């Protein structure tokens, strides 16, 4: 049985005393790195559990309880536990071991939370919305453009617990990137929180850049020759997808501001400088989203104006042709009356004269409407 299997047993226990029962199994088996989705069994909540000291990943197969005890006994290093969509039962033992607040533990399991930062004693609980751009050949009224997930991060003085929801936003590559920079990783759990926030915000910028292409395409089609025939549902769909991205980005500004400016016991001042850089990128993403929203409003208004103009042009054409047809209709209506004594009724050239008058009247009206742009 792998270390991940032992950890899954750990997460299934509700009391810390139960956690210790798998210690011997953990010591005898080598741990499998499950940091990537390809190596993580589908449906398994435990992704990885690693101990770091002075920025270096420690070898060995100590179980979770032993790893925490060793870190706290030495007073250095920290434990990074990664989970993916745990259940209440799986998370209960972990919450008790790390003394996590019940409300935060409940939020971590249920997901669908608003981005936020909460303080529970010496523990920070951060909720970040992850986003990814959904590739599509052509934007339609039902195309999915932005897909969202969540990452919950519990940050203490000697531990980091990441709980991920959704099928994207894997932290495996991020973990490897941090391990390649021991100097940054040695700054403790706050450095991990910063790297995760930086990664999430960078994804925001990537998605906004991709959305720029879709919005440009819609704008080009709206102002094309047949722009009035464009399905307005495509514009509404872009606005809905942009709203989903906005719900992920905008509420995160205040939590990142707190991490960058407020004195926090878990976050050292040197790490706050890094959070200020994340805040700059986040504000840039927020401004881009606001600009996209205004642009889509303008595009939608322009499209509706084009539709109105096209309808007016159609009505003018219909009115002009109705006026042209009214001339022969009037003449035919007069001479269709059943009277015996009418001018030129029995005249030999009456029919050619009437036809000539109708044709001349129709031609005069057609030229007049054509000159005025109605036809």
């Amino acid at each position: 049985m792998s270390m991940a299997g032992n950890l899954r047993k750990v997460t299934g226990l509700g009391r810390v005393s139960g956690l210790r029962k798998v210690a011997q199994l953990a010591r005898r088996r080598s741990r499998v790195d499950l940091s990537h989705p390809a190596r993580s069994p589908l449906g398994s909540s435990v992704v990885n559990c690693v101990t770091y000291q002075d920025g270096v990943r420690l070898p060995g197969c100590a179980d979770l309880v032993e790893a925490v005890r060793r870190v706290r006994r030495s007073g250095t290093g920290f434990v990074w536990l990664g989970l993916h969509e745990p259940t209440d039962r799986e998370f209960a033992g972990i919450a008790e071991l790390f003394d996590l607040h019940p409300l935060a533990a409940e939020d971590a399991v249920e997901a669908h939370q608003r981005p936020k930062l909460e303080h529970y004693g010496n523990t920070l609980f951060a909720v970040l919305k992850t986003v990814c751009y959904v590739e599509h050949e052509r934007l339609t009224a039902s195309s999915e453009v932005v897909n969202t997930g969540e990452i919950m991060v519990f940050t203490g003085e000697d531990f980091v617990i990441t709980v991920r929801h959704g099928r994207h936003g894997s932290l495996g590559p991020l973990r490897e990137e941090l391990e390649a920079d021991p100097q940054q990783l040695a700054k403790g759990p706050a450095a991990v929180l910063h790297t995760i926030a930086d990664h999430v915000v960078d994804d925001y910028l990537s998605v906004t850049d991709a959305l720029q292409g879709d919005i440009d395409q819609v704008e080009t089609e709206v102002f094309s020759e047949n722009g009035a025939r464009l399905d307005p549902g495509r514009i509404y769909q872009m606005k809905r997808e942009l709203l989903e991205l906005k719900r992920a980005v905008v509420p995160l500004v205040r939590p990142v501001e707190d991490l960058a400016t407020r004195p926090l016991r878990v976050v050292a001042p040197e790490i706050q400088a890094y959070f200020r850089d994340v805040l700059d990128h986040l504000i840039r993403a927020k401004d881009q989203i606001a600009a996209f929203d205004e642009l889509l409003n303008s595009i939608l208004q322009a499209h509706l104006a084009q539709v109105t103009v096209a309808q007016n042009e159609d009505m003018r054409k219909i009115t002009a042709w109705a006026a042209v047809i009214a001339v022969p209709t009037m003449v035919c209506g007069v001479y269709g009356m059943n009277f015996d004594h009418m001018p030129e009724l029995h005249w030999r050239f009456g029919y050619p004269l009437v036809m000539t008058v109708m044709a001349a009247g129709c031609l005069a009206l057609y030229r007049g409407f054509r000159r005025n742009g109605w036809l």
Side-chain angles (χ1 to χ4, degrees):
M1 181 180 295
S2 66
M3 177 59 183
N6 293 332
L7 286 173
R8 284 193 291 275
K9 285 188 176 181
V10 169
T11 56
L13 300 175
R15 303 208 314 264
V16 177
S17 59
L19 297 173
R20 297 186 175 91
K21 293 181 180 180
V22 298
Q24 293 181 351
L25 288 174
R27 293 190 184 97
R28 290 199 300 265
R29 304 297 183 186
S30 61
R31 185 176 54 77
V32 178
D33 184 3
L34 300 176
S35 58
H36 292 289
R39 298 197 292 267
S40 181
L42 186 64
S44 171
S45 65
V46 177
V47 179
N48 212 334
C49 179
V50 183
T51 303
Y52 296 97
Q53 192 167 17
D54 296 328
V56 179
R57 179 174 181 161
L58 296 182
C61 312
D63 69 290
L64 178 60
V65 176
E66 181 61 29
V68 173
R69 182 187 296 113
R70 183 172 58 182
V71 166
R72 291 177 177 175
R73 185 168 53 244
S74 64
T76 59
F78 64 93
V79 177
W80 183 354
L81 175 64
L83 303 171
H84 180 257
E85 297 182 355
T87 63
D88 289 329
R89 183 179 179 184
E90 289 173 328
F91 200 71
I94 294 173
E96 186 175 353
L97 175 62
F98 291 97
D99 193 24
L100 303 180
H101 196 279
L103 292 177
E106 181 182 354
D107 290 345
V109 172
E110 293 184 357
H112 304 294
Q113 302 297 317
R114 191 172 185 266
K116 60 182 178 180
L117 178 69
E118 295 181 348
H119 307 258
Y120 296 101
N122 295 329
T123 302
L124 289 180
F125 175 59
V127 178
L128 303 94
K129 288 279 191 180
T130 59
V131 299
C132 72
Y133 179 76
V134 180
E135 296 290 343
H136 49 273
E137 294 183 0
R138 185 175 182 275
L139 181 66
T140 65
S142 59
S143 296
E144 184 180 14
V145 181
V146 177
N147 189 14
T148 61
E150 292 180 37
I151 295 179
M152 286 81 164
V153 185
F154 293 89
T155 308
E157 295 181 348
D158 53 14
F159 67 88
V160 174
I161 302 174
T162 55
V163 182
R164 184 167 59 88
H165 292 266
R167 294 301 176 186
H168 66 275
S170 172
L171 298 178
L174 193 66
R175 186 191 298 269
E176 295 176 357
E177 179 183 338
L178 268 172
E179 291 177 354
D181 187 7
Q183 185 177 0
Q184 181 70 11
L185 193 55
K187 295 176 182 178
V192 177
L193 177 60
H194 157 260
T195 304
I196 293 174
D198 186 53
H199 174 72
V200 169
V201 172
D202 285 344
D203 284 345
Y204 293 162
L205 294 174
S206 299
V207 172
T208 54
D209 290 341
L211 284 175
Q212 177 74 65
D214 287 333
I215 295 175
D216 290 343
Q217 179 184 358
V218 171
E219 184 179 20
T220 301
E221 293 182 4
V222 165
F223 291 100
S224 64
E225 184 177 354
N226 296 322
R229 300 182 182 275
L230 178 69
D231 182 12
R234 296 175 59 186
I235 306 177
Y236 280 110
Q237 179 65 13
M238 281 298 303
K239 286 186 67 65
R240 283 194 296 267
E241 295 297 307
L242 189 66
L243 178 60
E244 187 172 359
L245 179 61
K246 185 177 181 180
R247 288 172 179 169
V249 175
V250 175
L252 188 60
V253 174
R254 181 62 181 274
V256 176
E257 283 181 350
D258 291 343
L259 290 169
T261 58
R262 289 184 58 184
L264 301 171
R265 182 174 180 179
V266 180
V267 182
E270 59 178 333
I271 298 296
Q272 287 187 320
Y274 291 95
F275 279 111
R276 285 195 289 271
D277 180 67
V278 175
L279 180 60
D280 290 341
H281 293 172
L282 183 60
I283 292 176
R284 174 188 164 193
K286 175 187 173 184
D287 291 343
Q288 283 185 330
I289 292 172
F292 289 164
D293 195 25
E294 290 294 329
L295 181 58
L296 283 174
N297 287 335
S298 300
I299 292 174
L300 182 59
Q301 292 175 0
H303 176 64
L304 295 178
Q306 282 184 325
V307 171
T308 302
V309 170
Q311 290 176 343
N312 290 339
E313 290 180 353
D314 293 340
M315 290 301 299
R316 287 195 303 178
K317 290 180 181 180
I318 294 172
T319 303
W321 283 114
V324 171
I325 296 174
V327 173
T329 301
M330 180 187 66
V331 175
C332 293
V334 170
Y335 278 90
M337 292 184 294
N338 296 321
F339 292 106
D340 292 332
H341 303 286
M342 294 182 66
E344 291 82 28
L345 186 62
H346 300 286
W347 184 36
R348 180 178 181 180
F349 299 103
Y351 175 75
L353 176 62
V354 170
M355 295 301 294
T356 302
V357 170
M358 288 192 298
C362 291
L363 181 61
L365 287 174
Y366 177 81
R367 292 187 62 182
F369 288 130
R370 186 78 175 180
R371 188 183 304 113
N372 293 328
W374 283 46
L375 290 175

